[in-house]
Amino acid sequence: MKSEQQNVIGNMSRNLFWDMDPDQIDLDSCPSQIVQRVLEYGEWNDWLAIRSYYGMPLIVKCCQSIRTLDPVALAYICCISHTDKESFRCYQSAQLKQAHWNF
């Protein structure tokens, strides 16, 4: 199992793990963090790697619990998973923030 994780991490972009040691990353202990980084900063090959490792149901579940997610990443995950944006925590949180007055 660990060799499969190392293979997945080894094929991903280095910029995703700028603050972590790639040899110490456990994909099963922090899937939300990995998914968010790939959606916001990853490349197409990174997306393919996490999709094959986690599967779409787990990726959607992780995204639904993330507090902040880039609007483009949210739109992408909603589109490919056929999920309403209202079911995502980051969307609900964004709706609660009041905008400043524009003068």
Side-chain angles (χ1 to χ4, degrees):
M1 182 67 148
K2 195 67 171 171
S3 64
E4 180 185 357
Q5 286 189 19
Q6 289 174 339
N7 187 29
V8 171
I9 293 169
N11 290 328
M12 295 176 81
S13 302
R14 292 288 125 208
N15 64 314
L16 296 174
F17 308 114
W18 63 271
D19 62 339
M20 298 184 219
D21 180 9
D23 297 328
Q24 301 298 319
I25 297 171
D26 182 12
L27 293 176
D28 295 327
S29 68
C30 55
S32 293
Q33 183 180 16
I34 302 298
V35 168
Q36 183 175 10
R37 285 185 183 212
V38 168
L39 282 173
E40 292 181 343
Y41 307 110
E43 297 177 2
W44 183 247
N45 289 335
D46 303 327
W47 167 251
L48 295 176
I50 66 162
R51 192 181 68 186
S52 68
Y53 185 79
Y54 293 125
M56 279 302 295
L58 181 60
I59 290 173
V60 171
K61 183 178 176 183
C62 289
C63 288
Q64 287 175 325
S65 67
I66 295 173
R67 284 184 190 215
T68 61
L69 189 61
D70 182 74
V72 174
L74 176 61
Y76 176 73
I77 199 70
C78 287
C79 181
I80 64 168
S81 67
H82 306 290
T83 308
D84 292 329
K85 63 184 173 186
E86 290 81 12
S87 68
F88 290 82
R89 182 179 183 185
C90 60
Y91 179 78
Q92 297 294 332
S93 297
Q95 299 306 305
L96 294 174
K97 294 180 186 174
Q98 292 184 357
H100 296 290
W101 288 95
N102 294 328
F103 292 102

